[in-house]
Amino acid sequence: MGNYRMNVPKKQNVRNVEVKMEISIFRTSVATETNINELRAMLDILVGAGNWNFDLEDVDNILRVNYPPHQNNFLANELRKYGFVCIELY
C-alpha cells in the first residue's frame, strides 16, 4: 500500500470557460490497492488521471482530488455507489 502522487494543475480551461480547481480531501473506507483498482477507471474519467490519489497509510484512508469543489458531493456519491464510505473533510 502506498501514497499515490498526482499532478496538480491550478486551473482547467473547458470550452473557453475557466473552471477553478482545488484540492479536496475525503476520508474513505478504501483500504487496499485492490479497492483502488476497482475505482481507478471511474476516478480517471470523473477527476482525470493524475488528479487524484489515496494515502492508505493515513488512518482515514485519505483521498485527495484536484477537482472543481462544487462537484465534491457528486464525487462522494459516486464512491458510495461502489460501496465505499466517502466523507469530505476539506
Side-chain angles (χ1 to χ4, degrees):
M1 291 182 247
N3 187 2
Y4 295 81
R5 302 255 185 243
M6 67 180 164
N7 298 325
V8 183
K10 297 292 183 205
K11 297 180 181 177
Q12 186 176 37
N13 192 344
V14 178
R15 295 184 187 153
N16 295 324
V17 176
E18 202 169 272
V19 177
K20 186 176 181 183
M21 307 287 277
E22 292 183 7
I23 295 178
S24 298
I25 299 172
F26 299 85
R27 177 179 25 181
T28 74
S29 62
V30 175
T32 67
E33 290 188 43
T34 300
N35 294 155
I36 292 170
N37 288 331
E38 291 174 36
L39 298 169
R40 184 176 310 281
M42 181 268 296
L43 287 169
D44 283 349
I45 291 168
L46 291 180
V47 180
N51 289 324
W52 59 271
N53 70 57
F54 283 93
D55 183 353
L56 300 182
E57 294 177 10
D58 187 283
V59 68
D60 289 325
N61 297 324
I62 294 296
L63 167 62
R64 288 181 190 84
V65 297
N66 188 36
Y67 195 64
H70 67 275
Q71 295 181 353
N72 284 348
N73 192 42
F74 173 76
L75 179 61
N77 286 332
E78 290 301 304
L79 265 75
R80 289 184 195 112
K81 288 179 185 177
Y82 282 78
F84 296 101
V85 173
C86 184
I87 300 168
E88 184 178 1
L89 299 177
Y90 302 102

